[in-house]
C-alpha cells in the first residue's frame, strides 16, 4: 500500500529523468500500479494535468507537507505508454536496473532532429489559367518563372528540392509566384521509410500439411482468445518463415499488429523482402545501422497506425503497437536476445510478459530451441509445435566427425583434415560451393592437449579454465586458480596450449592448398563497412566465389542452393567456452552450420573437426538428435543446478580503484556468508567472488559473485536486499553494482 507515487508528466527523452512525487490519497492506496495514467495538479498554478506512475514507494523523497496529492485515475483510455511503462517496471524488478534505465529501454527516444519535413510545391490554379500565365511570362522573357510553371503544368506537386536543385529555381522566384497565387508551398511531416525501394509482388507458396496444421492451431486458439506461447521447432529449411507470414496475415487481418524479432545477422534483404512482398508498406524494420531519428520515426509510424508489422532485433519488442496480436521470435536460441546493458533483460521472457499484458500470442521458432524453451515446452508452459521435414523432403546432410588427435598422429598439422580436403577437391571439380566455418564466439581462452584432447577444467564448476597472462589458469565462476600446466595430466604429452585459428589464417591455408579458387572471407573485419555484409552474401549467392570462410555470421538462415559441403573447422572452440552453455552452443552451431548444406538440387555433406569426438554435444549434433541432446544436457544441468534446472544470478562490482572493487565484493560475500551460517538463506549457493571474465575494461576493475537457487523469485528478493544494503553503506560510494539473471554472455 504505497503512500507515494513518482510520476512523469511528459514522455519525451529529455524529461524521462524528471519525475515528480505525489501523495497517494487514502482511497487510492492499493489501487495504483506502475504505468497507470493519473490526474495531478501541476506547477505553480496547479494546472490540471495527467502523468504516468513510474514508481510507488513508502518513503517520501521530500518533506511530506510539500507534496501534492494525486486527484484521480484516468479511466476511459489506456494508452500504449501505460503498458510499456508497466513493462519497464516488470523489467526493473526482474532484471535489476533503475527505473530510469528501464524506461529508456522501452520508450522511444525522441530526437530533436527526428522531424523531417517534406516541402511540396503545388500548382494552385487551373490548367487554363496556368496556360495564360505561362504565355505572359514567355512574352516578358521571364524564363525562370516560365520554366517552373511549365514543369508544374506537367506535374504537380513537385518536391521543393526538385524545384530548387533540379530546376535551379531560387527561393525568391518560388516566393514571387506564391505571391501571385500561382502556386503554394506546403509542408508535410514525413517519416523515413527504410524499405522505400523494395518491390512488391512475388509468389505465395502453397503450405504443406505440416505448415497448415500449425497455422490452423495458432489461429484457432487466437480466435478463441486463448493466447499461448508456442515453441515451433522446425529443422532448418522446414518452412518456418512461411508459417510466420501466414499467421501474421490472419492476425493483422483481424485488426491486430505483429512484432517479428530476428537476430540482426539474419535480417537480410532476402528475409525482409519476403515480408514486404506480403505486407507492402504496412511493414517496417529496425536495425542498428539506423540513426536514432530513423528508429524514432518507425515507432511513430507504428503508433499512428501506419504499420501492421515491425521486424527487427531485440529492441523491436518495444514497438508501440496499441493492439498487438502476436510476437514472433525467430532463432529464439540466439544469445543476442539477451541484453548486455542494464536492464539485462532477455527478449524471450520480456516478450512473454508483454504478450500477457496485451493479450497476444507468442511464437518462438528455432531448429535448435534453447534448453530453457524446450524445458518450458516439456513442462506445458509453452505449447510445442514441430516441423520435422525440410520443404520438398530434401534430406538433411550426411555428417562426418573427424578426430583431430588422429590427424596429428598421422602427421597432418594442417587446419584442414584429410577428409575435408578430399571433399573440398571433389566439390571444386564439380563447381559446387563450400562453406568453412570457424567459431570465434567469446573468449576462447581454454587450454587443451592436442594429443589426447583433454581440457583443463575447474574441479568445482566443471567449466573450462581460462588462460591468463602471467602463466595461470582461472575459473570465471569461482575464481579457482591453478598454475599453467606444462604437460598433459592425462597422457603426459607436452603438446599443450590454447587453440588459435582465425579466418585470415584459414584463408591463407585454403588459398595455398587450392590455388586459383575464389575465396571470400566474412568476419568482423570484412563486414565493418556498411553493406559489406550484404555484398559478400550476394557475391557468394551469385556463385562468383567457390568458398566462403566465416565466423558464426555465415551460419544464420542464408539460403545458398549450390552449397553442398560445410566444414566446421574447430567445434571445440564453442564447446569449451568458460561458462556452462558450451555444449548447447556447440550443438546449435553444428546443426545450424549443417543446415546450410544441401538446400538445392544436390544433397549436402558436413565435416565436423574436433578434439572431442566422443563428447555428447558433438556426437548428437552429427546425428541431428535434438531430443537425446536435450535429455543429456538437462540431466547435466540438473546435477549442477544450472538454468533452467535452477536459476543463477551474478552480481558485479566495478570501480576505478582495484582495491575498492575487491574489498566491496569481499564485504558483500562476507555478509551473505554470515547470513548463510545462521541458516538464513536455505537453498542458496554462493560461488566466488572472482575476477569477471573481462576483469578490467577501460581501467575499471570488475569482480563477480555468482548465486544459484531453485527459485528465480528468491534471487530477485536477494537482489533487492543487496541493493538496499549497498545504497545505505558508504563503502559502496565509488562502486557501480550490476546484476544479471541466468547470465548468457556474462560480465
Ligand atoms: P525456415 O524459416 O524454416 O528455414 P523457410 O520458410 O525459409 O524455412 O523455407 C525454406 C524455403 O522453402 C524458402 O525458400 C521458402 O520460400 C520455401 N518454402 C517454404 N514453404 C514452402 C512451401 N509450402 N512450398 C514450397 N516452398 C516453400
Ligand atoms: Zn593429453
Ligand atoms: Zn570454478
Amino acid at each position: 500500500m504505497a503512500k507515494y507515487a513518482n510520476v512523469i508528466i511528459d514522455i519525451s527523452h529529455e524529461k524521462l529523468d524528471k519525475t515528480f512525487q505525489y501523495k497517494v490519497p487514502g482511497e487510492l492506496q492499493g489501487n495504483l500500479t506502475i504505468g497507470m495514467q493519473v490526474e495531478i495538479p501541476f506547477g505553480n498554478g496547479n494546472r490540471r494535468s495527467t502523468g504516468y506512475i513510474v514508481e510507488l514507494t513508502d518513503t517520501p523523497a521530500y518533506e511530506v507537507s510539500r507534496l501534492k496529492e494525486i486527484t484521480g485515475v484516468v479511466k476511459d483510455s489506456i494508452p500504449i505508454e501505460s503498458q510499456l511503462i508497466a513493462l519497464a517496471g516488470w523489467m526493473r524488478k526482474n532484471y535489476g536496473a533503475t527505473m530510469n534505465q528501464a524506461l529508456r529501454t522501452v520508450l522511444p527516444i525522441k530526437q530533436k532532429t527526428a522531424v523531417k519535413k517534406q516541402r511540396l510545391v503545388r500548382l494552385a490554379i487551373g490548367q487554363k489559367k496556368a496556360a495564360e500565365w505561362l504565355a505572359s511570362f514567355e512574352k516578358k522573357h521571364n524564363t525562370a518563372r516560365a520554366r517552373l510553371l511549365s514543369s508544374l503544368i506537367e506535374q504537380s506537386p513537385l518536391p521543393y528540392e526538385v524545384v530548387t536543385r533540379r530546376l535551379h529555381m531560387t527561393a525568391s522566384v518560388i516566393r514571387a509566384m506564391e505571391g501571385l497565387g500561382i502556386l503554394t508551398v506546403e509542408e508535410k511531416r514525413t517519416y523515413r521509410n527504410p524499405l522505400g525501394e523494395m518491390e512488391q509482388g512475388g509468389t505465395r507458396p502453397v503450405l504443406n500439411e505440416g505448415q497448415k496444421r500449425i497455422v490452423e492451431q495458432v489461429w484457432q486458439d487466437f480466435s478463441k482468445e486463448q493466447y499461448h506461447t508456442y515453441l515451433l521447432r522446425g529443422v532448418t529449411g522446414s518452412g518456418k518463415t512461411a508459417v510466420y507470414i501466414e499467421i501474421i496475415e490472419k492476425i493483422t487481418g483481424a485488426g491486430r499488429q505483429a512484432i517479428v524479432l530476428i537476430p540482426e545477422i539474419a535480417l537480410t534483404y532476402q528475409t525482409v523482402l519476403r515480408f514486404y512482398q506480403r505486407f507492402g508498406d504496412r511493414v517496417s524494420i529496425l536495425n542498428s545501422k539506423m540513426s536514432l531519428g530513423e528508429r524514432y520515426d518507425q515507432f511513430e509510424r507504428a503508433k499512428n497506425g501506419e504499420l501492421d508489422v515491425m521486424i527487427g532485433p531485440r529492441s523491436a519488442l518495444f514497438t508501440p503497437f496499441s493492439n498487438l496480436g502476436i510476437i514472433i521470435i525467430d532463432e529464439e536460441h540466439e544469445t543476442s536476445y539477451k541484453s548486455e546493458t542494464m536492464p539485462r533483460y532477455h527478449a524471450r521472457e520480456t516478450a512473454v510478459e508483454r504478450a500477457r499484458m496485451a493479450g497476444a500470442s507468442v511464437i518462438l521458432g528455432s531448429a535448435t530451441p534453447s534448453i530453457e524453451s524446450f524445458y518450458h515446452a516439456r513442462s506445458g508452459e509453452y505449447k510445442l509445435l514441430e516441423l520435422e521435414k525440410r520443404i520438398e523432403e530434401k534430406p538433411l546432410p550426411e555428417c562426418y566427425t573427424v578426430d583431430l588427435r588422429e590427424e596429428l598422429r598421422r602427421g597432418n598439422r594442417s587446419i584442414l583434415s584429410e577428409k575435408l580436403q578430399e571433399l573440398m577437391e571433389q566439390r571444386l571439380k564439380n563447381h559446387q560451393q563450400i562453406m568453412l566455418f570457424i567459431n570465434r564466439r567469446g573468449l576462447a581462452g581454454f587450454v587443451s592437449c592436442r594429443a589426447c584432447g583433454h581440457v583443463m577444467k575447474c574441479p568445482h564448476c566443471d567449466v573450462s579454465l581460462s588462460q591468463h597472462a602471467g602463466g595461470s589458469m582461472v575459473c570465471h565462476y569461482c575464481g579457482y586458480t591453478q598454475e599453467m600446466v606444462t604437460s598433459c595430466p592425462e597422457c603426459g604429452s607436452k603438446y599443450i596450449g590454447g587453440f588459435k585459428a582465425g579466418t585470415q589464417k584459414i584463408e591463407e591455408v585454403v588459398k595455398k592448398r587450392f590455388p586459383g579458387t575464389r575465396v571470400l572471407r566474412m568476419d568482423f573485419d570484412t563486414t565493418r563497412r556498411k553493406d559489406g555484409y550484404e555484398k559478400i552474401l550476394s557475391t557468394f549467392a551469385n556463385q562468383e566465389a567457390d568458398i566462403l570462410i566465416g565466423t558464426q555470421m555465415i551460419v544464420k538462415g542464408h539460403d545458398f542452393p549450390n552449397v553442398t559441403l560445410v566444414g566446421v573447422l574447430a567445434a571445440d572452440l564453442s564447446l569449451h567456452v568458460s561458462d556452462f552453455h558450451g555444449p548447447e552452443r556447440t550443438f546449435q552451431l553444428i546443426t545450424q552450420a549443417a543446415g546450410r548444406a544441401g538446400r538445392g538440387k544436390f544433397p549436402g555433406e558436413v565435416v565436423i573437426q574436433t578434439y572431442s569426438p566422443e563428447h555428447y554435444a558433438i556426437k548428437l549434433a552429427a546425428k541431428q538428435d535434438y531430443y537425446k541432446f536435450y535429455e543429456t544436457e538437462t540431466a547435466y544441468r540438473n546435477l549442477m543446478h544450472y538454468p533452467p534446472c535452477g536459476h543463477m544470478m551474478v552480481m558485479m562490482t566495478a570501480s576505478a580503484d582495484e582495491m575498492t572493487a575487491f574489498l566491496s565484493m569481499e564485504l558483500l560475500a562476507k555478509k551473505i556468508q554470515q547470513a548463510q551460517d545462521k541458516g538464513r538463506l536455505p537453498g542458496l549457493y554462493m560461488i566466488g567472488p572472482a575476477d569477471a571474465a573481462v576483469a578490467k575494461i577501460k581501467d575499471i576493475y570488475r569482480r563477480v559473485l555468482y548465486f544459484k537457487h531453485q527459485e528465480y523469485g528468491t534471487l530477485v528478493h536477494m537482489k533487492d536486499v543487496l541493493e538496499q544494503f549497498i545504497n545505505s553503506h558508504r563503502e559502496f560510494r565509488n562502486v557501480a553494482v550490476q546484476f544479471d539473471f541466468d547470465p548468457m554472455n556474462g560480465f
Side-chain angles (χ1 to χ4, degrees), residues 111 189 222 238 244 266 334 358 370 373 379 381 455 541 566 603 638 643 658 662 668 679:
Q111 291 278 305
R189 169 151 195 192
F222 186 89
S238 59
Y244 304 151
E334 271 293 305
S370 61
S373 293
S379 73
E381 198 177 324
V455 174
V566 169
N638 219 350
E658 189 171 11
F662 184 85
L668 290 171

Side-chain angles (χ1 to χ4, degrees), residues 448-454 456 487-493 495-496:
S448 67
C449 168
R450 296 293 179 83
C452 78
H454 179 75
M456 311 305 150
S487 63
C488 173
E490 286 293 309
C491 75
S493 160
Y495 203 9
I496 229 163

Side-chain angles (χ1 to χ4, degrees), residues 203-209 211 232 234-245 270-271 274 330-331 366-367 387 389-392 394 557-559 595-596 599:
T203 53
R204 167 192 294 256
V206 180
L207 297 192
N208 63 30
E209 284 307 311
Q211 288 173 311
L232 171 55
V235 297
T236 50
S238 59
K240 295 187 291 298
T241 309
V243 165
Y244 304 151
I245 290 176
Q270 269 183 19
T271 310
R274 285 173 73 182
D330 193 31
E331 310 278 3
S366 174
L387 284 172
K389 293 202 183 99
R390 276 186 165 182
I391 291 295
E392 292 159 10
K394 293 204 175 87
H558 311 303
D559 215 344
R596 298 310 109 212
R599 290 171 80 99

Side-chain angles (χ1 to χ4, degrees), residues 651-665:
M651 174 171 64
M652 179 185 72
T653 55
S655 174
D657 179 51
E658 189 171 11
M659 209 50 169
T660 306
F662 184 85
L663 289 177
S664 58
M665 191 57 104

Side-chain angles (χ1 to χ4, degrees), residues 397-677:
E398 177 94 19
C399 287
Y400 307 100
T401 308
V402 171
D403 187 342
L404 288 174
R405 299 167 300 186
E406 194 63 37
E407 294 288 313
L408 188 70
R409 249 171 261 148
R410 277 189 275 144
N412 176 18
R413 292 194 177 194
S414 164
I415 303 172
L416 309 172
S417 62
E418 281 169 12
K419 178 79 184 173
L420 185 55
Q421 293 185 31
E422 176 196 317
L423 293 179
M424 285 174 75
E425 193 140 24
Q426 239 179 49
R427 289 313 179 318
L428 292 170
K429 215 177 279 164
N430 296 337
H431 305 289
Q432 291 173 4
Q433 289 172 295
I434 300 162
M435 287 169 89
L436 297 181
F437 168 71
I438 181 101
N439 175 29
R440 293 262 72 188
R441 169 155 273 143
L443 313 144
F446 69 94
V447 180
S448 67
C449 168
R450 296 293 179 83
C452 78
H454 179 75
V455 174
M456 311 305 150
K457 287 194 166 182
C458 172
H460 310 294
C461 310
D462 201 43
V463 298
S464 307
L465 294 173
S466 295
Q467 205 169 359
H468 270 221
S472 60
M473 301 183 296
V474 181
C475 170
H476 286 315
Y477 281 170
C478 71
Y480 169 86
T481 307
Q482 181 186 323
E483 281 280 291
M484 180 74 192
V485 288
T486 49
S487 63
C488 173
E490 286 293 309
C491 75
S493 160
K494 297 243 181 300
Y495 203 9
I496 229 163
F499 192 102
K500 290 198 180 64
T503 44
Q504 232 161 331
K505 179 78 197 299
I506 296 162
E507 186 181 14
E508 273 169 41
V509 172
V510 168
K511 280 184 165 161
K512 209 162 154 193
R513 172 68 183 75
F514 302 102
T517 49
R518 299 165 301 172
V519 181
L520 281 175
R521 175 162 63 89
M522 164 124 59
D523 52 26
F524 290 103
D525 274 347
T526 55
T527 55
R528 208 176 298 139
R529 266 174 303 126
K530 206 177 171 181
D531 301 335
Y533 179 66
E534 292 278 358
K535 210 158 163 190
I536 295 171
L537 290 179
S538 68
T539 307
F540 194 61
N542 296 336
Q543 301 187 28
E544 287 156 14
D546 310 299
I547 302 176
L548 175 60
I549 299 170
T551 55
Q552 51 265 27
M553 287 177 175
I554 66 172
V555 305
K556 294 288 161 263
H558 311 303
D559 215 344
F560 303 115
N562 200 41
V563 171
T564 58
L565 176 63
V566 169
V568 180
L569 295 181
D572 305 65
L573 283 177
S574 55
L575 196 53
H576 303 305
V577 291
S578 63
D579 76 46
F580 70 88
H581 290 101
E584 183 179 0
R585 297 279 170 274
T586 305
F587 186 87
Q588 287 163 351
L589 283 164
I590 294 177
T591 310
Q592 298 281 344
R596 298 310 109 212
R599 290 171 80 99
K601 270 194 297 248
F602 306 105
E605 287 176 311
V606 179
V607 176
I608 305 163
Q609 303 189 154
T610 176
Y611 290 98
S612 322
E614 68 293 331
H615 194 286
Y616 64 92
I618 291 183
K619 264 170 52 188
L620 296 172
K623 282 204 244 163
Q624 308 260 303
D625 191 344
Y626 180 83
Y627 282 94
K628 190 74 193 291
F629 173 72
Y630 172 80
E631 301 296 344
T632 316
E633 181 62 19
T634 39
Y636 164 73
R637 294 204 192 169
N638 219 350
L639 198 69
M640 299 297 293
H641 303 283
Y642 284 133
C645 310
H647 292 284
M648 272 177 114
M649 172 176 84
V650 50
M651 174 171 64
M652 179 185 72
T653 55
S655 174
D657 179 51
E658 189 171 11
M659 209 50 169
T660 306
F662 184 85
L663 289 177
S664 58
M665 191 57 104
E666 292 304 307
L667 179 63
L668 290 171
K670 205 175 91 200
K671 273 275 159 217
I672 295 159
Q673 187 64 56
Q674 280 167 356
Q676 274 187 316
D677 290 345

Side-chain angles (χ1 to χ4, degrees), residues 208-225:
N208 63 30
E209 284 307 311
Q211 288 173 311
K212 266 193 221 148
R213 204 163 12 94
I214 290 171
V215 173
E216 271 314 301
Q217 175 166 6
V218 175
W219 174 241
Q220 272 179 14
D221 289 347
F222 186 89
S223 307
K224 284 186 261 169
E225 294 182 23

